[in-house]
Amino acid sequence: MTFLSRTLILVSVTVRNSFQISSSPKAGCIRAPPYWISFQKAPVLFQCRARVFSTNTYSEMPEKKPFERLPKDVVPVNYAIRLQPYLEKFTFDGVEDISIQIKKPVKSIILNCADIHVKSVKYDGGKQAFGEDIKITYLKEDETVSFTFPDELQTGDGTLKLTFSGELNDKMKGFYRSKYTSPDGKERYGAVTQFEATDARRAFPCWDEPSVKATFDVTLVVPKDKVALSNMPEKSVAAHTDPSWKVVQYEHSPTMSTYLVAFVVGEYDFVEAKDSDGVQVRVYTPAGKSEQGKFALEVAVKTLPFYKDYFNIAYPLPKIDLIAIADFAAGAMENWGLVTYRETAVLVDPVNSSSAARQYVALVVGHELAHQWFGNLVTMEWWTHLWLNEGFASWIEYLCVDNCFPEYDIWTQFASSDFTRALELDALKNSHPIEVPVGHPSEIDEIFDAISYSKGASVIRMLHDYIGDKDFKKGMNAYLSKHKYTNTFTEDLWEALGDASGKPVQRIMSTWTKQMGFPVLTVTQKVEGQKRILTIKQKKFCADGSAQGTESLWEVPIGICTASSPQKSVHRFVLNEKEATVTIDNIKPNDWIKINTGAVGFYRTQYSTDMLEALIPGIKDQTLPPRDRLGLQNDMFALARAGTVPLVQVLRLAEAFQNETNYTVWNDLSMNLGTPLLLSQYTDYYDAAKAFICKLFGPIGKKLGWDAKDGEPHLDAMLRSLVIGRLGKAGHKATVEEAKRRFAAHCDGSSTLPADLRNPVYGTVLKQGGEEEFGQMLKLLKTADLHEEKVRILRSLGTVQQESLIQKTLDFAMSDEVRSQDTVFVIAGVTGSKLGREMAWKFVKDNWKSLHERYRGGFLLARLVKTTTENFVSEERAKDIEEFFGEHEAPSAERTIQQSLENISLNRNQLKRDGPAMKEFFSAYHS
Ligand code: BES
Ligand code: ZN
């Protein structure tokens, strides 16, 4: 989308005041928090942005020029960069020789440059040379600098020689400073980089577009006692004229995109190993904590050979470092050979880390290492194809973790954390197609969302299932081999996979990546003796149940399983019309039929009443496999949200899960129940709704107990934590009492809480407690060393119910005691209660200027907007939000705002529609 249409969106927001809205049903008090905080897999940057919904203000708009990519008449071949960061005054100096190729005679050269002061520029083209006579012009809006020469530059090779300086900023992008505590207890700063998507230009002037690849020769001049790392191994360390500095040179890099370049300077320890192919793997941790790097090292050492085998291509670099960065905006970043992580995404403490945290680390390591091939070796041509990178990595990380840790049953977790999450977002009017035109940096930031990640991963999973692993692998190898060191479009992947499988991959997949949304299949059956004749119809699924997008049509690979073949489809076909009839032979009269075996197809299913009723015994006796149970109830909640089925019917279905044993099914169900719970906060039957939760989770809570059995499965530990948390927050008496008792013992040091119990216990005692518990938590926070533990506490703080404590939490979020990377999640923590939600939104409005300045756009701001707005239920709030953002810019959150408004409308409609019946249903549970 161009700059022009972006402006248009902003204005139309101010003009309209009756825009329709919708929801994250899972949102609300139980909604899983962001990925790196909750350790639930769910890409980091779940945020979205506004669509054009009105063009009538077009003529009133001031003309803004559309975004343009850099001219390619001149391209870089090699960057020789020397950077010297000053860790006390927060600046850096740079010297850069760019070897360029001039393809057409030009009078000026334009490249990207932001927040950098170019001190000098020279051009040496052999026969032509310029110096002081070169004119430097910055275009701030475009983030470019142009060098204009007295004469046209002739075609051929030349060198552009620059010196410049910049700031080591505190915005977690570009070349920035990160605060850490040195082993001597002093606060110090390191310098690190985060360049994706468009911030390499803040560290050195460059052609900062993914398709303009070049090689890099990096030199870092750093204080002598510091660790200094870059993408490639160290080539030499030399003395500096000033003996307190050293000059570290790195090996020549392969051809690569600018967004993958990285530098880190600071104090670190590391653990290291070689993988089975001799690649050197190191995990860098804060000094004195190398023990905490061991788990990630173990994962990395297993993962590299896994990918090498899967792609049939060796890891392209001689080394790989994984490093924990104290201040980090995203979860992790795949810089080639030097992957940077939030501390929570890579460090595991043998005692203080939860099972969920370990699993999260395994997934993130799996994700970033996959990018080393898919993304780094072969890169998307432009950000429109970002999903190729993120969707693919978000799929294969599960394949990798499934291989390394089969006990995680990670594919079932995929169904909950990526598949259903994507379905939820993509049903909104303000979703977007996977492939989306983007230009300006704030538009690019916005597409790091659940569509690119989770829908991307889900459609790849569907395709993998459709063509089979063997052909998929073959196609992957062909794709990576053909395009290595270059760039691709989405079509290139389809072509390789189509050739490998002989199936119409391009035809099928373009219906999923170029169209927004997905279908709901309505299924009815006719029973004829041992036969069932199914009629399956597709139409676009809209979150609010409206009939929009009737012209949309998808090519839907469908698998159907039955009671006698629950795991393996008895029938598979591709539905490429509006309607089809399918006959299932040899089926017993009462046997269930389930569409979408294993929940691999990216669609929802709406069964006729008789087919649905036949499935319920399969839930109760668990003969319907976990992913199918999960998918079924998730579809039903979405249909209720859309007003297609009564919510109470779905709540009755939830009762069928009383005997459920699977962690992921419980987790998904519990997130879905977040909506009725959220809605009931605005009624007089909230207590009754909580009593329902206590009744539903009671038996499994009892069965699991409080104490881990020796060597119990990973998923039992996760389930216990989930169930105790739900019961505790719902006010289950015995759970609250036990949580208080254990918390007291934890605080007085007589019995430390195991890591897996801390989250549910902290949440419970804060929600059911007051000033005293709040004070104890702050004390725990002060003594906590592991970042994971700090985040656990920080996120829990907001569950307090008292106004003064909620306010304290909000103020604390912005204090120096909370890192900017975590502020959003502290604020998010208070949004679970009705009062907290009001206060958080007011807080965001009151502090907008400083929050905006703190994040300068970016996805954390979008995340903040989402979490503080989407769970309201009144029109009044929707108007307030619209008005506020009519007057205040939130460049990377435009679509997010529209999605929140949709969610509010969905909430409001659902409460109006289902409220009375819900009241009656819940009342039966109130003792
Ligand atoms: N390439 C991204 C990091 C990134 C995100 C850069 C947003 C710029 C903007 C990285 O590969 C990534 O996806 N990280 C995820 C973790 C992953 C396991 C989903 C993250 O940051 O949460
Ligand atoms: Zn990624």
Side-chain angles (χ1 to χ4, degrees):
M1 202 187 286
T2 64
F3 227 106
L4 183 69
S5 48
R6 289 179 61 247
T7 319
L8 206 158
I9 292 163
L10 273 181
V11 169
S12 48
V13 171
T14 63
V15 175
R16 299 171 47 110
N17 56 10
S18 59
F19 183 59
Q20 279 294 300
I21 323 176
S22 141
S23 139
S24 149
K26 299 175 173 183
C29 42
I30 298 185
R31 178 58 159 156
Y35 193 15
W36 62 81
I37 297 300
S38 69
F39 311 114
Q40 302 245 352
K41 167 62 179 84
V44 85
L45 315 159
F46 280 163
Q47 39 138 348
C48 322
R49 103 202 143 131
R51 299 168 50 67
V52 179
F53 41 72
S54 146
T55 49
N56 57 10
T57 53
Y58 191 93
S59 57
E60 296 159 29
M61 299 303 309
E63 277 288 316
K64 270 212 173 169
K65 76 175 174 33
F67 170 83
E68 274 175 44
R69 284 160 70 169
L70 294 172
K72 307 291 173 342
D73 299 337
V74 179
V75 289
V77 177
N78 182 65
Y79 294 86
I81 305 170
R82 176 181 164 119
L83 291 174
Q84 180 164 17
Y86 301 100
L87 301 174
E88 265 131 38
K89 55 178 187 178
F90 306 145
T91 60
F92 62 91
D93 283 335
V95 182
E96 186 181 15
D97 285 0
I98 317 176
S99 312
I100 54 176
Q101 225 174 44
I102 299 170
K103 296 185 165 171
K104 268 195 203 148
V106 286
K107 194 79 197 307
S108 48
I109 296 179
I110 305 178
L111 55 161
N112 290 115
C113 178
D115 301 333
I116 279 185
H117 171 64
V118 177
K119 294 199 280 197
S120 70
V121 51
K122 285 185 193 152
Y123 174 73
D124 181 357
K127 282 174 271 162
Q128 270 181 312
F130 300 105
E132 254 116 69
D133 40 3
I134 303 171
K135 192 172 145 225
I136 306 175
T137 318
Y138 297 96
L139 267 180
K140 205 164 182 278
E141 266 297 281
D142 292 357
E143 302 187 343
T144 58
V145 62
S146 65
F147 303 123
T148 308
F149 303 91
D151 301 322
E152 268 196 345
L153 302 186
Q154 299 311 306
T155 54
D157 298 338
T159 310
L160 200 57
K161 295 167 177 267
L162 311 174
T163 63
F164 55 89
S165 60
E167 186 204 4
L168 287 178
N169 70 67
D170 61 353
K171 308 290 173 217
M172 296 181 284
K173 51 168 128 178
F175 202 10
Y176 69 92
R177 57 186 192 256
S178 171
K179 188 161 95 178
Y180 64 93
T181 311
S182 190
D184 62 13
K186 295 226 172 74
E187 273 188 355
R188 294 225 166 75
Y189 287 88
V192 301
T193 54
Q194 169 59 41
F195 290 167
E196 192 179 15
T198 55
D199 293 314
R201 64 192 66 171
R202 287 172 211 281
F204 53 92
C206 57
W207 280 258
D208 200 9
E209 295 183 2
S211 68
V212 189
K213 291 193 175 189
T215 53
F216 289 81
D217 291 303
V218 174
T219 303
L220 295 176
V221 182
V222 300
K224 218 167 135 191
D225 55 344
K226 297 286 189 291
V227 171
L229 302 168
S230 185
N231 307 79
M232 298 299 289
E234 218 173 72
K235 184 176 167 188
S236 68
V237 183
H240 190 265
T241 43
D242 178 338
S244 58
W245 295 83
K246 63 183 174 185
V247 181
V248 188
Q249 244 192 311
Y250 300 89
E251 302 279 356
H252 183 64
S253 84
T255 306
M256 62 190 281
S257 306
T258 47
Y259 80 91
L260 294 167
V261 173
F263 325 117
V264 178
V265 181
E267 288 177 69
Y268 293 96
D269 279 338
F270 64 83
V271 283
E272 71 178 330
K274 283 211 154 69
D275 81 350
S276 52
D277 300 298
V279 178
Q280 178 198 286
V281 187
R282 283 185 178 172
V283 179
Y284 282 84
T285 69
K289 295 185 183 163
S290 61
E291 187 73 11
Q292 293 174 6
K294 284 189 171 160
F295 179 73
L297 183 67
E298 184 197 318
V299 178
V301 163
K302 282 190 198 160
T303 297
L304 288 173
F306 172 78
Y307 287 140
K308 183 198 144 194
D309 176 60
Y310 199 84
F311 300 134
N312 199 13
I313 295 178
Y315 172 68
L317 303 184
K319 65 100 176 169
I320 183 142
D321 296 325
L322 291 73
I323 185 162
I325 306 292
D327 292 290
F328 198 78
M333 174 65 211
E334 70 267 25
N335 316 298
W336 216 358
L338 176 55
V339 184
T340 42
Y341 293 81
R342 257 187 193 236
E343 292 194 355
T344 48
V346 69
L347 301 181
V348 169
D349 181 88
V351 177
N352 294 297
S353 286
S354 64
S355 305
R358 294 167 80 84
Q359 179 184 295
Y360 171 64
V361 168
L363 284 167
V364 185
V365 171
H367 179 106
E368 304 309 336
L369 294 191
H371 277 315
Q372 305 301 307
W373 286 260
F374 206 100
N376 300 6
L377 182 62
V378 177
T379 313
M380 71 258 142
E381 197 276 338
W382 181 247
W383 301 106
T384 295
H385 305 277
L386 167 77
W387 87 277
L388 263 186
N389 260 12
E390 299 306 347
F392 184 85
S394 297
W395 168 76
I396 205 166
E397 63 181 82
Y398 284 87
L399 198 70
C400 162
V401 168
D402 194 38
N403 178 267
C404 298
F405 303 96
E407 68 277 18
Y408 291 180
D409 183 22
I410 205 72
W411 280 114
T412 304
Q413 298 195 54
F414 177 92
S416 180
S417 34
D418 284 83
F419 171 71
T420 61
R421 192 182 287 248
L423 288 171
E424 192 185 302
L425 180 59
D426 204 24
L428 299 183
K429 295 190 186 87
N430 288 286
S431 181
H432 65 85
I434 282 183
E435 292 182 69
V436 59
V438 283
H440 190 270
S442 74
E443 294 177 352
I444 297 169
D445 270 355
E446 261 195 306
I447 59 165
F448 284 86
D449 68 358
I451 297 300
S452 301
Y453 279 76
S454 299
K455 183 178 181 184
S458 300
V459 300
I460 288 181
R461 177 163 172 251
M462 177 165 72
L463 174 64
H464 176 264
D465 184 68
Y466 168 63
I467 69 174
D469 191 59
K470 201 163 142 257
D471 288 345
F472 195 91
K473 236 168 124 168
K474 197 167 111 197
M476 283 315 305
N477 172 263
Y479 169 83
L480 291 170
S481 307
K482 178 168 175 195
H483 301 288
K484 63 184 173 199
Y485 303 108
T486 66
N487 297 77
T488 51
F489 298 84
T490 301
E491 286 69 25
D492 294 315
L493 180 63
W494 300 156
E495 188 183 300
L497 294 170
D499 288 351
S501 64
K503 292 194 167 135
V505 173
Q506 162 76 45
R507 200 189 73 209
I508 293 179
M509 292 312 286
S510 59
T511 71
W512 296 96
T513 61
K514 293 191 191 296
Q515 273 185 128
M516 180 175 113
F518 59 89
V520 53
L521 306 189
T522 48
V523 190
T524 51
Q525 67 174 358
K526 218 161 86 195
V527 183
E528 279 183 8
Q530 298 282 79
K531 266 196 214 162
R532 304 274 182 99
I533 300 156
L534 307 179
T535 303
I536 305 181
K537 296 181 186 172
Q538 64 159 302
K539 64 168 194 250
K540 182 174 187 317
F541 180 74
C542 296
D544 63 357
S546 63
Q548 287 186 344
T550 42
E551 70 295 341
S552 310
L553 193 69
W554 286 266
E555 298 224 5
V556 195
I558 295 177
I560 302 175
C561 59
T562 63
S564 55
S565 176
Q567 306 278 358
K568 195 162 176 287
S569 296
V570 293
H571 190 81
R572 289 169 74 107
F573 73 110
V574 176
L575 174 69
N576 52 18
E577 285 165 299
K578 283 269 172 201
E579 183 175 336
T581 318
V582 170
T583 304
I584 309 286
D585 293 313
N586 297 325
I587 175 162
K588 287 191 222 114
N590 292 326
D591 275 5
W592 52 257
I593 292 183
K594 166 84 178 30
I595 311 296
N596 204 359
T597 313
V600 289
F602 197 72
Y603 53 87
R604 295 204 183 273
T605 312
Q606 184 187 342
Y607 294 97
S608 58
T609 313
D610 57 334
M611 290 184 79
L612 182 64
E613 270 167 14
L615 282 159
I616 293 182
I619 294 175
K620 289 191 172 149
D621 64 14
Q622 303 191 18
T623 50
L624 193 64
R627 278 165 231 173
D628 297 281
R629 302 202 287 277
L630 188 155
L632 181 66
Q633 57 82 35
N634 196 289
D635 282 352
M636 291 300 289
F637 274 100
L639 291 168
R641 186 93 171 137
T644 310
V645 300
L647 179 60
V648 163
Q649 187 188 331
V650 187
L651 293 173
R652 280 201 202 98
L653 178 75
E655 292 175 317
F657 286 85
Q658 277 249 352
N659 300 326
E660 182 60 61
T661 49
N662 185 285
Y663 157 73
T664 315
V665 177
W666 270 119
N667 189 38
D668 199 73
L669 175 64
S670 124
M671 287 196 290
N672 290 327
L673 287 168
T675 300
L677 268 179
L678 166 73
L679 300 181
S680 60
Q681 284 181 350
Y682 292 87
T683 68
D684 57 1
Y685 51 85
Y686 184 39
D687 284 343
K690 286 191 286 187
F692 167 74
I693 296 291
C694 292
K695 180 85 196 301
L696 185 63
F697 285 82
I700 184 75
K702 206 161 179 191
K703 189 167 156 203
L704 288 163
W706 277 80
D707 296 306
K709 324 269 171 304
D710 267 352
E712 78 176 1
H714 170 82
L715 291 170
D716 281 3
M718 304 259 288
L719 181 57
R720 178 177 302 104
S721 171
L722 171 78
V723 171
I724 292 180
R726 293 300 172 261
L727 285 170
K729 288 206 184 136
H732 184 261
K733 245 176 124 204
T735 306
V736 174
E737 272 163 25
E738 186 62 10
K740 285 188 168 164
R741 196 184 66 73
R742 291 190 182 230
F743 182 68
H746 180 67
C747 293
D748 69 23
S750 57
S751 175
T752 306
L753 278 167
D756 281 321
L757 284 185
R758 288 187 204 165
N759 199 36
V761 167
Y762 293 168
T764 302
V765 297
L766 279 168
K767 180 154 188 201
Q768 314 295 347
E771 194 85 43
E772 192 188 328
E773 287 80 1
F774 192 78
Q776 280 165 318
M777 288 297 277
L778 291 182
K779 255 196 230 152
L780 288 179
L781 182 65
K782 276 223 155 61
T783 52
D785 186 35
L786 185 69
H787 193 67
E788 176 193 332
E789 176 68 8
K790 287 192 194 199
V791 169
R792 207 169 5 241
I793 298 169
L794 284 173
R795 271 208 68 88
S796 305
L797 287 179
T799 44
V800 288
Q801 299 293 297
Q802 299 78 353
E803 189 174 339
S804 62
L805 296 179
I806 295 174
Q807 193 56 49
K808 266 192 191 163
T809 306
L810 289 168
D811 295 336
F812 189 66
M814 294 287 276
S815 73
D816 286 346
E817 287 173 77
V818 177
R819 290 180 189 266
S820 268
Q821 63 167 12
D822 300 324
T823 297
V824 173
F825 311 110
V826 183
I827 299 175
V830 312
T831 63
S833 67
K834 198 170 132 190
L835 179 61
R837 197 169 302 130
E838 292 294 337
M839 291 175 67
W841 170 233
K842 180 169 185 308
F843 185 83
V844 167
K845 285 190 292 184
D846 292 347
N847 292 280
W848 183 253
K849 208 166 156 257
S850 62
L851 284 162
H852 195 271
E853 170 57 24
R854 189 182 271 233
Y855 299 111
R856 294 236 183 112
F859 50 82
L860 282 175
L861 193 73
R863 176 74 223 178
L864 177 71
V865 170
K866 177 179 163 68
T867 181
T868 52
T869 56
E870 71 179 356
N871 292 328
F872 287 113
V873 294
S874 71
E875 190 164 3
E876 189 195 339
R877 276 287 157 269
K879 275 197 182 139
D880 177 22
I881 292 163
E882 255 191 297
E883 263 165 35
F884 182 79
F885 288 112
E887 287 156 15
H888 299 83
E889 265 195 39
S892 60
E894 288 170 6
R895 192 183 276 132
T896 306
I897 295 161
Q898 299 311 321
Q899 290 168 344
S900 275
L901 293 174
E902 267 197 84
N903 275 322
I904 298 171
S905 167
L906 285 176
N907 286 340
R908 200 175 69 229
N909 291 340
Q910 191 166 24
L911 184 57
K912 214 156 84 198
R913 195 177 52 230
D914 290 308
M918 245 202 307
K919 177 171 182 161
E920 202 185 315
F921 176 85
F922 285 140
S923 302
Y925 286 91
H926 206 22
S927 51

